[in-house]
Amino acid sequence: MLRRAGILVLVFLVSEDLATATTIVIMRTTTGFVVGADSLARVEEINGTLHAAHICKVGSLGANQYVAVAGILEFLPSGLDTWRIIEKIAARDGLLSAKGAQIESELRGLLDATAPWSAEPVRVQVALFGFEAGRPVVLLSTYESKVDGAGKIVSGTSTQFLSDEVLLLGEIAAAADFAKSRGRINKDDPVAGVRELIQAQIQATPDRVGPPINILRIDAAGYTWAEEGHVCATRLP
């Protein structure tokens, strides 16, 4: 069973395309962040039956620490369960950088074990964000595993603290084109700006990215839901 942010596939992989199917936007504001994500999921049963569902793509990583995930979420044959790992790390104390290293330590071997099931690289993007010493911080890690031409597992990890005002994760081509066509991103109304970017991607790829759009406002005091949020009730009540 493979689960991706945006698409849940309950079948074994042979040559399944593992491209991310989700859109997440993290926008810095004067007081913190506005974060939005689509929630579309498509579940394919073993008998081939398809039905729509919704999943939460953002969650808590601890006191005023948050996480958003794009990519492979779950694959039963290899034991991969990305959110289970994140929830375990969230229960520990530590800075975002320390928790990011712990997530990598637990995730790396499972991604390597998943790679032989796929003809495409297995990729996960994990954005950790929150406040440290009263300042907003964003840490983005990208993990990838693939099988090379000699049949060997090749792993790669990229981790960096970001100062960008807007971070896009997952399926983002149409969202980026929308921002380029407008000449700017609407930062005067960050909630509207985040919504516009995700909506542009939904319109371009409705079979891969879809409503409801969930948008959080986050500051040093905590978070509030600006729009929707019901699908995230267990992760961010």
Side-chain angles (χ1 to χ4, degrees):
M1 176 169 63
L2 168 76
R3 182 177 298 174
R4 294 177 282 176
I7 293 186
L8 309 184
V9 186
L10 306 185
V11 293
F12 292 129
L13 287 178
V14 178
S15 60
E16 178 71 25
D17 176 13
L18 301 188
T20 300
T22 193
T23 301
I24 298 169
V25 180
I26 302 174
M27 184 181 294
R28 290 179 183 267
T29 68
T30 56
T31 58
F33 309 95
V34 170
V35 180
D38 81 299
S39 58
L40 177 65
R42 186 184 67 208
V43 177
E44 182 176 352
E45 306 292 353
I46 293 176
N47 64 8
T49 303
L50 291 173
H51 60 89
H54 300 95
I55 61 173
C56 182
K57 302 172 185 179
V58 296
S60 173
L61 196 64
N64 220 2
Q65 296 177 328
Y66 307 89
V67 58
V69 183
I72 306 303
L73 295 185
E74 184 176 324
F75 187 53
L76 290 183
S78 66
L80 175 65
D81 188 336
T82 304
W83 276 110
R84 182 188 59 78
I85 292 171
I86 289 171
E87 289 165 358
K88 180 166 68 172
I89 303 302
R92 305 172 183 171
D93 294 330
L95 298 176
L96 291 176
S97 56
K99 291 188 176 183
Q102 293 168 21
I103 290 171
E104 178 182 356
S105 176
E106 301 229 4
L107 197 57
R108 169 51 59 205
L110 293 170
L111 288 177
D112 288 350
T114 303
W117 294 82
S118 174
E120 301 293 330
V122 175
R123 191 166 184 257
V124 177
Q125 288 181 294
V126 180
L128 311 182
F129 51 100
F131 290 81
E132 294 183 351
R135 299 174 58 246
V137 175
V138 181
L139 176 66
L140 175 64
S141 295
T142 301
Y143 311 109
E144 184 174 287
S145 294
K146 64 181 180 180
V147 179
D148 68 10
K152 295 181 179 179
I153 301 295
V154 179
S155 303
T157 299
S158 170
T159 298
Q160 57 185 322
F161 282 99
L162 299 177
S163 59
D164 300 11
E165 292 187 2
V166 180
L167 173 64
L168 304 178
L169 286 80
E171 190 100 7
I172 63 171
D177 286 346
F178 174 83
K180 185 177 180 180
S181 69
R182 292 292 184 92
R184 61 185 294 273
I185 295 173
N186 184 359
K187 299 173 186 174
D188 298 327
D189 184 347
V191 172
V194 167
R195 185 194 320 110
E196 289 170 356
L197 290 171
I198 298 174
Q199 188 61 49
Q201 192 63 54
I202 290 174
Q203 291 175 350
T205 55
D207 59 326
R208 298 170 63 79
V209 180
I213 298 172
N214 302 290
I215 302 179
L216 283 164
R217 289 190 184 94
I218 299 172
D219 59 28
Y223 71 89
T224 56
W225 284 106
E227 292 184 8
E228 293 289 343
H230 62 276
V231 299
C232 292
T234 58
R235 293 202 175 110
L236 287 167

